[in-house]
Amino acid sequence: MAHLTKNYPIKARDYLRAGEVSMQVQGLMKNIGFAPEMIRRVSICAYEAEMNVVMHGGDGQMTVEINTDEIILEVKDGGPGIEDISLALQEGYSTASEEAREMGFGAGMGLPNIQKNSDSLEIVSEKGKGTEVKIGFRA
């Protein structure tokens, strides 16, 4: 498979369209012919990362890069940043707004689910400067 890169914009607080980007990533992988287990893992991570941008970030973007030996999801947002990344990686820790919680989001499982379902996870974030998340999968 040749190298393929696709970009998807994500709007902050657009709960109506939340999940559409991860569905597009899932469809792309199905069309290429990836195994169901790989599609499941990537879809979970794409969804969790997308929801983090919707709930916490300023507007952002997900870039999907597919190579012969790896898949990379890169998510960047212009949000408030993550103050304590190690704390944010703990199950149940959440800084979700009341609005997000009322809709059933913000259980504090986003980053832990990404960590469990990916082969690599890098988070670069600074308070007031947004967040960049790079999620890797060995194909």
Side-chain angles (χ1 to χ4, degrees):
M1 138 113 235
H3 176 85
L4 173 69
T5 303
K6 288 193 83 83
N7 296 307
Y8 302 94
I10 303 170
K11 292 287 290 168
R13 289 178 259 317
D14 187 354
Y15 291 98
L16 196 61
R17 290 188 177 82
E20 285 184 6
V21 169
S22 53
M23 292 299 291
Q24 290 177 28
V25 170
Q26 184 180 46
L28 174 68
M29 293 186 68
K30 282 181 181 176
N31 287 339
I32 292 171
F34 278 95
E37 177 61 14
M38 177 62 81
I39 294 170
R40 184 189 70 76
R41 290 175 59 220
V42 172
S43 295
I44 289 169
C45 293
Y47 178 78
E48 296 288 11
E50 178 182 1
M51 290 311 300
N52 280 344
V53 174
V54 170
M55 286 189 292
H56 305 290
D59 293 342
Q61 173 175 286
M62 182 179 297
T63 301
V64 180
E65 196 177 316
I66 299 175
N67 298 300
T68 31
D69 58 345
E70 70 179 344
I71 299 163
I72 297 168
L73 300 178
E74 239 181 316
V75 184
K76 297 178 182 180
D77 72 50
I82 301 171
E83 283 191 54
D84 186 335
I85 292 171
S86 61
L87 188 58
L89 286 165
Q90 292 179 20
E91 289 186 12
Y93 176 79
S94 178
T95 58
S97 68
E98 194 59 40
E99 174 191 28
R101 290 175 194 270
E102 285 173 3
M103 287 187 265
F105 302 111
M109 294 304 295
L111 290 176
N113 279 339
I114 291 171
Q115 199 167 36
K116 281 182 200 159
N117 285 285
S118 64
D119 293 315
S120 65
L121 173 61
E122 296 171 32
I123 302 169
V124 176
S125 188
E126 192 176 325
K127 186 176 166 104
K129 298 205 175 174
T131 301
E132 294 182 24
V133 178
K134 188 174 181 179
I135 308 162
F137 308 87
R138 288 185 291 280

